[in-house]
Amino acid sequence: MDMPSAPGADFTTLFHFLPIGAYRSSAEGRMIHANEQLARINGFRDVEELLDRARHDPDGWYVDPARRHEFQLRLARDGEVRGFISEVKRRHDSERMWVSENAHMVRDADGRVLFYEGTVEDITERVAQQKAMREQQERMQALADQIPGVVFSLLVRPDGTRAYRFVSSGVRAMYGFSPEDLLRDPMLIARYRHPEDIGRLDGETEAIKAGKVELAGEFRIVLPDGQVKWIYKRSCEVLRDNEGVHRVGVLLDISARKRAEDALRESEALWKLALESAGEGVWDWNLVTGEEYLSDSLLSMYGYTRDEVQGVAEDLDARTHPDDIPAMIEARQAHFEGRARLYRNEHRVRAKDGRWLWILTRGMVISRDESGRPTRIVGTHTDITDLKQAEEQQRVLEGQLRESQKMEAIGTLAGGVAHDFNNLLAAILGNLVLAREDVGAEHPAQESLAEINRAAIRARQLVQQILTFSRRGAQVMEHQPLLPLVEEALGLMRSLLPAGVRLLTRLSKEPLPALVDATQMQQVLMNLCTNAWQAFAGRSGEVTVALERVALDAAQALQLGALEPGTYARLSVADNGPGMDEVTQRRVFEPFFTTKAPGAGTGLGLAVVHGIVKAHRGAIGLTSQPGAGTRFDVYLPLAASAAAPLPDLAVIPPPAPAAAPEGRHVVYIDDYEALVFLVGRLLRKQGYRVSTFESGEAALAWFSQHPREPVDLLVTDQNMPGMAGVEVVRELRRLRPALRMAIVSGHVSDTLIAEAASAGVDDVLAKQDSMDALGAAIRGLLEPAAGTAPAV
């Protein structure tokens, strides 16, 4: 837009080019110009929208209204405001953000205020970063204060002077002064050094200047009361810049350990005797000659006699596991060089009987020559094989526990999601029923509505599969043909096949009816196929699924388990993968057993398959050998007669609602608003009189206010915020003892059925796949009372 002829008008292009918001307001405070960046900051597409909103809501900017008054006071007092930081609300949608404002007055020659000009910069991200940095610093301070000893950050300048940037509170317990004292006087800590150790400080400084990255050492300090402490210091370089060398490190009080070590050196003979008595194997190694004394208990530990061991260190080292030698040598060298106070290492040693024993070896150099090289080291060997085996078993059990907890978490999540998800699906399916009635059977939309119906039913089946896998779903056994179930599962799996894996089928044309839970049987097939293609480990291969009728004689039935001879449906999954050895075949159905790498499998897939097949009174056979692939055969008893054919979901005619008993009054309760509206509309269309409520509390209040209102049936959801369905029934039994009541739940369990029965519930219904099914269930509940019992 054009700027008026006024001071600053020549900078119109710059005004709009600024990367931050800019504005001009009248002497009365009304915004008259703004650039596009300010409009974007406020969430508008153009400047005109911003100016219009500012005219209608001039005060709706600051979250704290007092900030506007403060801004005006500063502007009137100083003629300008700089860096005014506030939390504000975007004018478009009131979203909160942080801004930095600058403004000044523009006056005429007589000193009158012509207008105000200012800039607005969005600093929300900067404020968030500053807040996060403060919180991080506070967390690091709290963490450092929990670490034993002293944690510090130090700058060593090029001239050797020092400055501490951070000191944890542990310095008070170690030295007696505060962190602030050391921050003010960096040499304070040096004045506490023992006179004999003060020279080490200069050597440390020279090493830092020379580029030594890591430093470690021990020294003594003398406190004002004369107490002497041994301190272990370790530090490392983190940055080298123009200021100097930045280092971080720790100080640890090792006085107790030093006293123990001194006592150990002073009583070497007694120490050896005590260790021998405790069953420890003692060794004494002369580093000059290479000779090594091994105690009788140490030799006995490995099963050797003194004549079988040469008495030199290399002899025992030769019996050490090759994989453990590098770490053992490194641990020795660290102790020899003074980088570790003690020599400590865990490694395996071959015993005389061929077993690998896990050994904990500990030792200490007790003498050095004039140049500081170690000449003698003594120590012990402790057999920790049982401990290592226990640790390994614990790791296995912990892994199994994690997998079990993961599956329990899946079950908990599935149970929680199922309720809300089933409500959504019920609303979708119910509205589909009504929509198809509304548009008529010949409407072109019927085909699209049928596809939506198919997808919604498939979604509900997927929820049930999750519940089944997590052992939360109730088993629903029905007589039905196996062939459509297998074909549907195969259709889903074809989209999941890994690259390079071909899925072949050999399916009988017979429907092969059986008494099965459809979802669980599809889970069996999916688990077996998944196990088959995972065996290829990224290589190409073939998985063949077969379904056929077979007759088992007595010998075959006995070989498969406790089966009766007769006719069975056999569902087979075979692959041409690497196959299994006999050990793996014996354990393949064990829970948590897996041949996959850690974290790559739960070990539950085949265990779930085995459990489902057993629950169907069937059996599972396994045929495999290394290099020749694997085949699983699932045998299921065939039903006496075929089930009715499944409907074609692609062409589903709109259902015709059955007539409802005339004038029956139904009270329906559900916390899901869309479902309440839908059920009320559906039941009214079917001829019922309906009262709906979105909570048990609201329904109870209505019953209390209408004690004489006749009601034929109460239907309530179980899982609701506030009062659950069972609680509503208990309360209503006191008000209406004869009223028929039913509970609807997306997860009907034995526990819920028992609890509902004790509360006086007449029936527990599972969430229906369609609204017409719910209507049929309600009619069934009313039939016993239709035409006979009055409403209560």
Side-chain angles (χ1 to χ4, degrees):
M1 69 176 62
D2 294 332
M3 299 291 288
S5 297
D10 294 337
F11 295 96
T12 301
T13 303
L14 177 61
F15 178 79
H16 288 286
F17 183 71
L18 285 173
I20 61 176
Y23 65 89
R24 175 178 290 175
S25 61
S26 67
E28 294 78 24
R30 180 174 57 85
M31 187 182 297
I32 55 178
H33 296 299
N35 67 356
E36 293 179 359
Q37 181 63 22
L38 185 59
R40 284 193 290 269
I41 288 175
N42 280 275
F44 294 106
R45 289 174 297 179
D46 55 46
V47 173
E48 292 303 325
E49 286 185 304
L50 170 61
L51 295 178
D52 182 66
R53 179 61 63 86
R55 281 193 293 271
H56 289 86
D57 185 17
D59 297 324
W61 175 246
Y62 295 103
V63 173
D64 180 3
R67 295 294 289 169
R68 181 178 184 83
H69 181 64
E70 174 67 19
F71 185 89
Q72 292 171 337
L73 282 179
R74 291 191 190 183
L75 192 59
R77 183 190 64 201
D78 304 329
E80 64 177 13
V81 176
R82 294 181 182 274
F84 191 77
I85 296 177
S86 308
E87 187 178 16
V88 301
K89 295 177 291 185
R90 293 204 317 178
R91 293 189 181 275
H92 177 65
D93 53 14
S94 296
E95 181 180 344
R96 295 190 177 191
M97 61 181 178
W98 286 88
V99 297
S100 175
E101 297 181 88
N102 299 286
H104 70 103
M105 293 181 180
V106 178
R107 302 177 184 271
D108 61 13
D110 297 326
R112 291 188 301 271
V113 177
L114 292 175
F115 47 79
Y116 300 98
E117 291 180 334
T119 61
V120 178
E121 181 181 2
D122 184 352
I123 61 169
T124 305
E125 184 175 349
R126 186 197 312 167
V127 171
Q129 290 174 346
Q130 291 172 347
K131 180 182 178 183
M133 186 177 299
R134 288 194 302 271
E135 292 175 349
Q136 179 68 12
Q137 289 173 342
E138 291 171 358
R139 287 194 294 268
M140 290 302 297
Q141 178 69 58
L143 176 62
D145 289 342
Q146 297 303 312
I147 297 175
V150 181
V151 179
F152 65 86
S153 174
L154 172 70
L155 169 65
V156 180
R157 300 187 180 93
D159 62 0
T161 59
R162 301 182 173 213
Y164 285 91
R165 299 296 174 83
F166 172 80
V167 180
S168 68
S169 61
V171 74
R172 183 175 285 105
M174 184 175 292
Y175 283 88
F177 50 73
S178 70
E180 293 74 20
D181 293 333
L182 185 55
L183 292 173
R184 285 191 299 268
D185 182 3
M187 294 307 296
L188 177 62
I189 197 168
R191 291 194 286 273
Y192 280 69
R193 285 240 182 175
H194 193 284
E196 296 178 6
D197 296 340
I198 193 69
R200 297 184 184 181
L201 192 60
D202 293 334
E204 178 184 290
T205 301
E206 293 303 318
I208 292 173
K209 288 181 179 180
K212 185 74 172 179
V213 175
E214 293 188 3
L215 291 173
E218 300 171 359
F219 58 89
R220 289 163 292 177
I221 63 172
V222 182
L223 301 182
D225 61 1
Q227 180 185 359
V228 177
K229 290 184 178 180
W230 273 97
I231 305 299
Y232 173 76
K233 179 179 181 180
R234 184 177 183 85
S235 67
C236 66
E237 179 181 319
V238 295
L239 177 65
R240 189 178 289 258
D241 57 18
N242 293 334
E243 283 190 286
V245 181
H246 301 261
R247 302 183 67 84
V248 294
V250 294
L251 299 173
L252 301 175
D253 186 345
I254 59 170
S255 302
R257 193 182 78 187
K258 294 293 286 187
R259 288 192 294 269
E261 291 171 0
D262 292 340
L264 181 63
R265 284 192 295 269
E266 293 171 359
S267 57
E268 177 184 340
L270 183 60
W271 176 70
K272 285 186 178 181
L273 179 60
L275 289 174
E276 285 281 354
S277 301
E280 300 276 358
V282 179
W283 49 270
D284 188 340
W285 182 12
N286 186 323
L287 298 173
V288 178
T289 65
E291 296 174 319
E292 184 174 21
Y293 164 77
L294 304 177
S295 68
D296 291 337
S297 59
L298 188 147
L299 292 170
S300 176
M301 182 186 302
Y302 298 118
Y304 295 114
T305 64
R306 194 165 296 280
D307 295 336
E308 293 172 320
V309 179
Q310 302 301 316
V312 292
E314 288 81 359
D315 192 18
L316 199 56
D317 285 354
R319 292 174 169 84
T320 301
H321 196 289
D323 293 346
D324 300 340
I325 290 177
M328 181 178 69
I329 293 176
E330 170 60 26
R332 285 180 188 170
Q333 198 63 28
H335 177 57
F336 291 165
E337 296 174 359
R339 292 181 283 116
R341 283 293 302 170
L342 293 174
Y343 165 49
R344 188 184 190 281
N345 177 250
E346 296 177 2
H347 56 268
R348 288 161 289 179
V349 175
R350 173 85 72 178
K352 185 176 181 179
D353 60 8
R355 292 178 301 130
W356 287 106
L357 302 181
W358 272 102
I359 301 300
L360 168 62
T361 181
R362 290 165 290 189
M364 177 179 289
V365 171
I366 61 172
S367 66
R368 295 179 181 267
D369 60 18
E370 294 79 2
S371 61
R373 287 192 298 269
T375 59
R376 184 183 175 198
I377 180 173
V378 296
T380 63
H381 278 187
T382 305
D383 185 350
I384 58 170
T385 305
D386 291 342
L387 176 62
K388 282 290 188 178
Q389 291 173 345
E391 289 176 350
E392 179 62 26
Q393 182 65 21
Q394 181 179 358
R395 281 193 293 272
V396 172
L397 293 175
E398 286 174 351
Q400 292 177 349
L401 177 60
R402 282 193 296 272
E403 295 298 336
S404 177
Q405 290 172 337
K406 181 169 69 175
M407 295 309 300
E408 179 64 24
I410 292 174
T412 302
L413 176 63
V417 169
H419 175 257
D420 290 338
F421 194 47
N422 281 334
N423 278 343
L424 295 170
L425 291 172
I428 293 171
L429 291 165
N431 279 291
L432 275 172
V433 171
L434 298 177
R436 298 178 73 188
E437 290 179 8
D438 292 341
V439 302
E442 303 302 323
H443 196 280
Q446 284 291 347
E447 183 176 355
S448 298
L449 293 173
E451 287 301 318
I452 296 173
N453 186 79
R454 178 196 293 274
I457 290 176
R458 180 57 185 155
R460 174 159 287 174
Q461 291 170 345
L462 287 175
V463 173
Q464 292 304 317
Q465 286 182 3
I466 295 173
L467 291 170
T468 299
F469 183 73
S470 58
R471 305 297 181 88
R472 294 286 294 270
Q475 191 177 55
V476 182
M477 304 288 281
E478 297 178 346
H479 282 94
Q480 51 193 309
L482 291 176
L483 181 59
L485 297 181
V486 173
E487 289 176 335
E488 182 179 1
L490 290 172
L492 175 62
M493 282 187 293
R494 290 187 190 279
S495 62
L496 304 176
L497 280 175
V501 177
R502 295 178 60 206
L503 182 61
L504 308 177
T505 59
R506 192 174 67 251
L507 306 180
S508 168
K509 294 182 179 180
E510 295 183 79
L512 299 178
L515 182 62
V516 296
D517 182 305
T519 302
Q520 289 187 350
M521 290 314 302
Q522 289 181 333
Q523 186 68 60
V524 165
L525 181 55
M526 293 182 71
N527 282 13
L528 289 176
C529 288
T530 301
N531 188 76
W533 68 54
Q534 286 179 347
F536 296 128
R539 297 183 297 272
S540 60
E542 294 181 353
V543 177
T544 302
V545 177
L547 178 66
E548 58 189 336
R549 178 194 297 265
V550 296
L552 298 180
D553 57 27
Q556 293 171 319
L558 181 63
Q559 185 177 5
L560 287 168
L563 291 184
E564 296 291 333
T567 305
Y568 289 81
R570 180 170 66 190
L571 175 63
S572 303
V573 177
D575 64 70
N576 59 351
M580 306 179 193
D581 57 26
E582 292 184 3
V583 175
T584 302
Q585 291 183 52
R586 286 196 297 270
R587 301 189 59 192
V588 73
F589 294 113
E590 292 181 11
F592 303 111
F593 174 75
T594 178
T595 59
K596 301 180 181 69
T602 64
L604 286 173
L606 293 179
V608 169
V609 167
H610 187 269
I612 292 175
V613 172
K614 286 295 184 183
H616 283 72
R617 296 183 297 110
I620 185 167
L622 168 61
T623 304
S624 182
Q625 63 182 29
T630 299
R631 170 174 167 160
F632 288 94
D633 293 308
V634 175
Y635 295 86
L636 297 171
L638 285 173
S641 60
L646 297 178
D648 184 0
L649 294 179
V651 184
I652 304 177
E662 183 65 29
R664 291 294 180 180
H665 187 188
V666 177
V667 173
Y668 183 80
I669 309 171
D670 198 299
D671 62 297
Y672 186 39
E673 180 182 0
L675 199 58
V676 169
F677 172 78
L678 176 64
V679 172
R681 182 183 173 199
L682 173 73
L683 294 180
R684 291 186 186 98
K685 288 188 69 173
Q686 295 183 359
Y688 294 102
R689 190 160 61 92
V690 185
S691 298
T692 58
F693 302 93
E694 295 179 16
S695 71
E697 291 84 353
L700 288 173
W702 182 87
F703 274 103
S704 298
Q705 295 165 7
H706 302 82
R708 299 184 181 280
E709 180 74 21
V711 177
D712 297 280
L713 176 66
L714 169 79
V715 180
T716 176
D717 188 28
Q718 167 63 11
N719 298 314
M720 299 183 292
M723 297 183 70
V726 171
E727 295 175 293
V728 174
V729 170
R730 289 198 182 100
E731 291 296 323
L732 275 180
R733 275 285 171 238
R734 289 195 284 269
L735 298 175
R736 303 278 183 107
L739 177 62
R740 290 185 63 77
M741 304 187 200
I743 285 178
V744 179
S745 175
H747 174 49
V748 178
S749 63
D750 294 339
T751 302
L752 175 59
I753 293 173
E755 187 178 1
S758 67
V761 175
D762 293 287
D763 203 353
V764 177
L765 305 174
K767 281 286 177 74
Q768 303 297 322
D769 281 341
S770 62
M771 287 294 100
D772 56 317
L774 176 61
I778 290 176
R779 285 194 298 276
L781 288 168
L782 288 171
E783 280 178 3
T788 56
V792 295

